């Protein structure tokens, strides 16, 4: 009951592109790169340099570049935004981050560019939506700052 009702338009689609990997137990997740674990978001394929926009009003919780710790692993350059509606969004594999930690953003504000940093087979935006009551930033064993928590299907809110 703490989360917004699942419906289109709760969140803005953060970039233009083609859905290249769905949420959950996708073929790639099962047979490829995730060792049988579910894909915790969606991937939107787009050319490097395609603008990315904040999905909703909020505050930037964390930005980072995991390639500094585990090159070609995890999310690469990423942004995490906490929203007033009890959702948290993660934007991964960016080529450039154009916001800073603790910055306030509005729905539709420019925040960065699509890239292929981290563990990416091609240029795309990885978008994960978390339940804010379960979300936290922790330290991974090898990739530095890492988002954790109960993730939700982004397509239920876009």
């Amino acid at each position: 009951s703490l989360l917004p009702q699942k419906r289109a338009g709760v969140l803005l689609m953060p970039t233009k592109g083609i859905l290249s990997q769905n949420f959950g137990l996708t073929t790639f997740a099962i047979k490829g790169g995730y060792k049988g674990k579910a894909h915790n978001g969606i991937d939107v394929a787009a050319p490097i340099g395609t603008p990315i926009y904040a999905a909703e009003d909020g505050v930037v919780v964390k930005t980072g570049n995991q390639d500094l710790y585990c090159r070609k692993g995890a999310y690469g350059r990423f942004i995490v935004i906490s929203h007033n509606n009890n959702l948290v969004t993660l934007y991964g594999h960016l080529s450039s981050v154009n916001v800073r930690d603790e910055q306030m953003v509005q729905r539709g504000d420019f925040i960065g560019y699509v890239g292929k940093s981290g563990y990416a087979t091609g240029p795309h935006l990885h978008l994960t939506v978390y339940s804010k009551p379960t979300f936290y930033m922790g330290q991974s064993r090898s990739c530095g700052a890492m988002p954790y928590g109960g993730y939700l299907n982004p397509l239920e809110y876009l």
Side-chain angles (χ1 to χ4, degrees):
S1 66
L2 296 175
L3 299 177
Q5 182 178 4
K6 295 175 183 176
R7 63 178 173 77
V10 171
L11 298 173
L12 174 76
M13 177 59 88
T15 196
K16 292 181 181 177
I18 297 168
L19 183 65
S20 59
Q21 185 173 193
N22 213 326
F23 174 83
L25 291 174
T26 65
T27 301
F28 184 76
I30 293 167
K31 296 181 179 180
Y34 307 132
K35 300 176 184 171
K37 295 181 182 177
H39 186 229
N40 71 351
I42 61 168
D43 292 342
V44 180
I48 291 176
T50 302
I52 300 169
Y53 304 97
E56 186 54 71
D57 299 352
V59 61
V60 177
V61 173
K62 186 72 178 163
T63 61
N65 183 358
Q66 295 175 326
D67 281 346
L68 297 175
Y69 306 98
C70 58
R71 185 155 171 74
K72 300 295 179 192
Y75 299 111
R77 287 183 188 86
F78 70 91
I79 300 167
V80 176
I81 300 175
S82 177
H83 306 287
N84 296 332
N85 61 7
N86 274 334
L87 299 177
V88 175
T89 50
L90 162 74
Y91 310 79
H93 307 300
L94 283 61
S95 61
S96 176
V97 171
N98 291 74
V99 290
R100 65 186 183 292
D101 294 2
E102 301 181 18
Q103 180 177 335
M104 300 291 293
V105 295
Q106 300 295 308
R107 180 183 181 110
D109 281 355
F110 168 72
I111 59 172
Y113 291 107
V114 169
K116 61 175 189 173
S117 61
Y119 181 55
T121 58
H124 70 280
L125 168 66
H126 172 87
L127 176 68
T128 299
V129 175
Y130 293 96
S131 164
K132 188 176 187 175
T134 69
F135 178 81
Y136 67 98
M137 288 298 300
Q139 280 297 118
S140 70
R141 286 186 230 150
S142 58
C143 289
M146 184 71 76
Y148 296 99
Y151 51 84
L152 307 164
N153 185 344
L155 296 176
E156 294 177 337
Y157 295 100
L158 293 171

